[in-house]
Amino acid sequence: MDQSNTSSSTNKTGYCLPTISNRSAKVDFKRVKSAKDLLLSPRSEEGRERKNFGNVGSEEGRERKKSPQVVCFGELLIDFVPTVSGVSLAEAPGFKKAPGGAPANVAVCISRLGGFAGFLGKVGDDEFGRMLANILKENNVNNSGMRFDKQARTALAFVTLRADGEREFMFFRNPSADMLLTEAELDTDLIKKSTIFHYGSISLIEEPCKSAHIAAMKIAKKAGCILSYDPNLRLALWPSPEAARKGIMSIWEEADLIKISEDEIVFLTGGDDPYDDNVVLTKLFHQNLKLLIVTEGPNGCRYYTKDFHGKVGGVKVKCVDTTGAGDAFVGGLLYNLASNIQLFKDEKKLRDALEFANVCGAITVTERGAIPSLPTKEAVDKKLKEAKTK
């Protein structure tokens, strides 16, 4: 289920494309005067609805003050996926564009399940950037924390699953707009009003985004937010494996919740057995951590808290594309956690939430692309019901 988090020895990086054709975008740009038109404006009806979250001066605001909210921080980009499966990037006859970026995928998943989610990040002030802002808006994600850079392009990633099973990446982001987000551009109010602040590790690779990331975490921590961390290892983007290991672990002990994959355990521990509970508990679990999750693809996941640990089995489905499966899992878990922040302390309720998250990931792999295949609450409930009757 979480195979999207695996790294590949064939990963490459590249430079941003100099031009982008407006034929690719899904937005009617004749009606869009600027990138700001695609943000949730407080002057619009939808903008007032989202901006009033926590505004106790209105009845709507008071109602939303009680509602959970998850704010996701990090990259938002365009994935280009081959139109034919089982080929290398060089052999692919063509590519289909799809919105991507793990934190953004998580935000959309939460919103699609019926929760309230926001996104903080930066894209280029170009047609792809505006398209991404519009996609978040269409999926009811609060995008008021998005920023647009006039100098750098929106990040692009070409990704494929080759016939030998290896995932291959090629990134165009030297630098891309997401790397240039500054601390001064953070929407601090959006962070402070959230219940959960979720992030990855890609935003730790380069300045000034690294400093913005750390500052955002401090703001969230001070505001009493639950800090949720999915490292989402992408070795191709780091200067070296050692830099990746050091960068990922540099903020490890700040998190309240961490989700990792089997491959990431092997990488972070220097080759230890990812299925050994003692390895996880002695090398990765820390005293400030409330919950550590290890995903095992179609086999489900393991969970570790200070008081108990166990495993929840996965759901068997026909896999079409694993892209976004891990993000859907995280979205399903955070959706439940935002509704019950005491989930860490109740093993039965935690297992129910993880079963829900497993199904979110399973549904996502049955279709191509991340955001297009993210499930609704109705679809998850239906799948859960089917699983229980078998």
Side-chain angles (χ1 to χ4, degrees):
M1 180 191 62
D2 195 39
Q3 298 170 36
S4 60
N5 277 352
T6 59
S7 59
S8 169
S9 59
T10 56
N11 289 348
K12 303 182 180 78
T13 57
Y15 289 89
C16 293
L17 300 180
T19 58
I20 299 176
S21 170
N22 62 9
R23 295 177 183 176
S24 324
K26 297 181 179 179
V27 184
D28 182 0
F29 292 110
K30 293 180 180 179
R31 299 174 58 189
V32 178
K33 296 180 181 179
S34 70
K36 291 182 179 179
D37 294 336
L38 293 171
L39 298 176
L40 296 181
S41 168
R43 291 186 293 273
S44 69
E45 182 177 352
E46 185 177 5
R48 283 195 298 272
E49 179 181 354
R50 292 285 175 176
K51 279 291 188 179
N52 278 342
F53 180 89
N55 180 0
V56 295
S58 67
E59 182 177 349
E60 179 71 14
R62 284 192 295 273
E63 183 63 27
R64 288 186 175 270
K65 182 72 175 178
K66 302 174 185 177
S67 302
Q69 188 183 43
V70 182
V71 170
C72 300
F73 175 94
E75 67 277 7
L76 176 58
L77 51 94
I78 301 290
D79 284 331
F80 284 87
V81 184
T83 53
V84 177
S85 300
V87 297
S88 69
L89 290 175
E91 296 169 333
F95 295 87
K96 178 182 179 182
K97 73 178 187 301
N105 292 341
V106 172
V108 171
C109 182
I110 292 166
S111 182
R112 196 166 289 180
L113 290 171
F116 297 100
F119 176 78
L120 291 177
K122 198 172 192 180
V123 293
D125 191 9
D126 51 41
E127 293 178 5
F128 280 150
R130 292 190 289 272
M131 183 189 85
L132 291 170
N134 192 62
I135 287 171
L136 291 186
K137 184 177 179 180
E138 288 175 348
N139 282 278
N140 297 316
V141 173
N142 186 323
N143 65 4
S144 63
M146 285 187 69
R147 301 295 179 257
F148 297 83
D149 196 297
K150 293 184 179 299
Q151 305 302 319
R153 295 293 193 187
T154 300
L156 307 178
F158 289 79
V159 55
T160 188
L161 187 65
R162 302 184 321 196
D164 62 5
E166 286 294 321
R167 188 166 284 274
E168 187 177 22
F169 298 92
M170 183 182 290
F171 296 94
F172 289 75
R173 58 189 307 270
N174 285 350
S176 54
D178 61 293
M179 301 161 66
L180 302 178
L181 180 71
T182 66
E183 182 177 346
E185 293 175 305
L186 293 174
D187 188 335
T188 57
D189 285 342
L190 195 64
I191 299 173
K192 292 175 182 177
K193 291 175 182 176
S194 63
T195 302
I196 300 169
F197 184 69
H198 176 72
Y199 48 89
S201 68
I202 290 175
S203 46
L204 294 169
I205 299 174
E206 298 280 354
E207 293 287 3
C209 188
K210 178 180 177 180
S211 292
H213 182 148
I214 294 172
M217 285 176 56
K218 290 179 178 178
I219 293 168
K221 195 79 168 181
K222 187 176 181 180
C225 302
I226 293 171
L227 268 58
S228 166
Y229 185 23
D230 177 4
N232 194 35
L233 176 64
R234 291 290 181 265
L235 272 178
L237 299 177
W238 292 87
S240 67
E242 183 53 38
R245 191 177 292 108
K246 183 178 179 181
I248 288 171
M249 297 305 294
S250 68
I251 59 170
W252 195 262
E253 296 196 1
E254 299 299 321
D256 298 297
L257 184 159
I258 296 175
K259 172 260 174 193
I260 51 176
S261 67
E262 304 152 281
D263 289 342
E264 287 166 345
I265 293 177
V266 174
F267 175 76
L268 294 174
T269 61
D272 286 351
D273 183 358
Y275 303 102
D276 187 336
D277 288 340
N278 289 327
V279 168
V280 175
L281 290 170
T282 58
K283 292 195 173 183
L284 297 175
F285 198 91
H286 62 77
Q287 61 180 359
N288 299 321
L289 200 56
K290 294 182 174 66
L291 176 64
L292 177 65
I293 300 294
V294 179
T295 52
E296 298 183 357
N299 296 320
C301 65
R302 283 174 281 150
Y303 58 91
Y304 302 83
T305 73
K306 293 177 181 178
D307 301 317
F308 49 77
H309 65 271
K311 180 172 181 175
V312 176
V315 179
K316 305 300 180 184
V317 294
K318 183 179 180 181
C319 181
V320 174
D321 179 12
T322 61
T323 304
D327 304 328
F329 176 92
V330 174
L333 176 59
L334 296 187
Y335 165 76
N336 281 282
L337 179 60
S339 299
N340 178 11
I341 59 173
Q342 299 301 317
L343 205 60
F344 308 115
K345 300 178 180 180
D346 189 322
E347 187 170 11
K348 183 183 183 305
K349 289 182 179 179
L350 175 61
R351 290 182 63 86
D352 288 342
L354 292 174
E355 184 179 11
F356 183 96
N358 281 339
V359 171
C360 287
I363 291 175
T364 302
V365 306
T366 61
E367 296 181 28
R368 291 188 181 278
I371 287 180
S373 60
L374 293 172
T376 62
K377 176 94 169 24
E378 291 73 21
V380 177
D381 288 341
K382 180 180 179 181
K383 194 71 178 176
L384 282 169
K385 187 176 180 180
E386 290 175 355
K388 292 182 186 304
T389 57
K390 289 182 179 180

